[in-house]
Amino acid sequence: MLINIERTAFLEVNSLQKYKKLFFFTFKLSASTFGGGFVIIPLMRKKFVEKLGWIEEDEMMDLTAIAQSSTGAIAVNVSILVDYHVAGFLGAMLTVLSSQRLAVCFHPVLS
């Protein structure tokens, strides 16, 4: 499989910048979308596959299928799998923090 030049450049960027970029993209995505996890999947695909080239189209489809077959919220599952594929274990954990941060902050206020 061919590796995109931008993906290679992303993987070579120092860790702090890489994780910061993933955290803020996932946070922005989860904060600005309404309608559940199936709304987030095409937006992630557009960003990671088309714009940045960090993963291939078939990889995104495979990760989405795995996320759909596992239990839990699909938005979180897809985010975890994609960011794990791109940035490893720490990238997946940052995704969990960034995608659930708003829910944890606003839940006590709204209830």
Side-chain angles (χ1 to χ4, degrees):
M1 179 185 316
L2 296 174
I3 296 178
N4 194 332
I5 294 172
E6 289 182 29
R7 181 177 179 191
T8 305
F10 173 77
L11 296 174
E12 293 174 357
V13 171
N14 83 27
S15 296
L16 184 60
Q17 288 177 335
K18 175 173 59 173
Y19 296 128
K20 193 169 150 182
K21 195 172 197 177
L22 282 172
F23 179 86
F24 285 115
F25 171 71
T26 308
F27 181 77
K28 184 176 93 174
L29 186 64
S30 63
S32 62
T33 54
F34 297 96
F38 291 107
V39 174
I40 289 177
I41 293 171
L43 297 173
M44 288 184 74
R45 184 192 152 283
K46 187 173 185 174
K47 181 74 169 184
F48 288 134
V49 175
E50 293 177 10
K51 288 186 179 179
L52 298 174
W54 291 346
I55 60 176
E56 301 293 325
E57 178 76 30
D58 59 340
E59 293 172 323
M60 183 67 189
M61 292 295 115
D62 291 342
L63 294 172
T64 302
I66 293 169
Q68 287 178 334
S69 65
S70 49
T71 60
I74 190 161
V76 177
N77 291 344
V78 170
S79 297
I80 289 170
L81 290 172
V82 168
D83 286 354
Y84 179 80
H85 185 72
V86 170
F89 181 75
L90 187 57
M93 292 301 103
L94 285 173
T95 296
V96 172
L97 289 174
S98 65
S99 64
Q100 296 302 309
R101 190 158 185 85
L102 287 174
V104 170
C105 291
F106 288 121
H107 182 67
V109 174
L110 296 175
S111 28

